[in-house]
Amino acid sequence: MAQTKKKIVFSGMRPTGALHLGNYVGALRNWVKLQETHHCFFGIVPWHALSSEYLNPKVIKDFTFEVALDWLAAGLDPQKAVLLIQSEVKEHAELHLLLSMITPLPWLERVPTFKEQQQEIQDKDLNTYGFLGYPMLQTADIILYKAEVVPVGEDQAFHIELAREVARRFNRFYGEVFPEPQILLTEVPKLAGTDGRKMSKSYGNAIYLKDSPEAIRKKISPMVTDTRRKRRTDPGEPDDCPVFTLHKAFVPEAKRQELAAGCRTASIGCLECKKVVIEALITEFETFRQKRTYYEQHPDEVWTIFNEGSARAREVARKTMEEVRQVLGLDFPTGRR
Ligand code: TRP
Ligand code: SF4
């Protein structure tokens, strides 16, 4: 079979601590597949975390480690993908700076997440230069590796569109250096958390990848189901059931159809139905838990993997920045390294 050149992928995750099922189905699960077919760079991005957590920066390192554990345990493989820590590759900052020179302020001010997050997150002052520049830092992350494909959810679509526009603008001003990155839209099933709201770390309703079988059982068993099912004999509607959002992500199609039919005809009870998804989750994350425990006990191995990944990333990043400095005429004779 003719070998076509693998496309370059970049995607990133903010270090916000251990990952939950929503993070898994919305990103990680797809990345694990993508590393087989694409030339992938996956970055944990401390500087993005800092844009909102600047008053509490000390947690970022531990949170980075938690994400690193989850990545490795879930099957991201340093033999297949470049696993890096953004802030360990200083070229991200240099490119961000240079892009900031050519990015019109209104492009950033009209990013929907900018105003939304400022309003939503009341306990932090997000009216900062860094937070406004968040999408620019993201653009730098992506184009620094000349990524062609960026797997993200719908919530990031605007950021990627901006990245395309900035890459295009750079190319128009200085010459073709960057490919225009394309979004690879990840279908993000909306998962409900234990309280029925959207699963989110900040709501305290999340089921974590690292949760033990007992914790999974304890969290799902008491969950609210479709309110029509007051009694065991009342039929329900799976599409209105928070628990069934988990079925949609983790229970195979055939079994799921069977349960849905059973729900609609009241021929199964909610406990029985929940048991299926509980067992599915326990099984799906069995090897995950083993691997995570291993890495928890071998932190040096984890840091080494990310150290080596960051070094590989740096090599690519350096080449790009040499080119960038050259087209800008900033390739000083004094700067030979
Ligand atoms: N902004 C992304 C998020 O909140 C994280 C991110 C940072 C990212 N840099 C990136 C995603 C580059 C894709 C590509 O999820
Ligand atoms: Fe939800 Fe299943 Fe109960 Fe139906 S049977 S309401 S899908 S838990």
Side-chain angles (χ1 to χ4, degrees), residues 271-316:
L271 271 178
E272 194 187 328
C273 182
K274 283 173 173 172
K275 222 181 132 197
V276 174
V277 75
I278 289 170
E279 292 312 316
L281 282 168
I282 290 173
T283 311
E284 172 140 0
F285 290 102
E286 204 166 272
T287 51
F288 174 94
R289 282 188 296 275
Q290 285 165 8
K291 285 171 80 176
R292 201 183 200 274
T293 306
Y294 172 83
Y295 284 118
E296 279 165 10
Q297 290 162 353
H298 298 83
D300 291 352
E301 267 183 52
V302 176
W303 290 123
T304 300
I305 288 170
F306 278 81
N307 187 23
E308 287 172 3
S310 301
R312 281 170 69 195
R314 206 173 292 127
E315 271 179 44
V316 179

Side-chain angles (χ1 to χ4, degrees), residues 225-226 229 236-238 241 243-244 247 259 263 268-270 273-274:
T225 61
D226 177 16
R229 299 212 70 184
E237 176 46 57
C241 173
V243 180
F244 206 69
H247 288 78
L259 293 172
C263 175
I268 56 159
C270 286
C273 182
K274 283 173 173 172

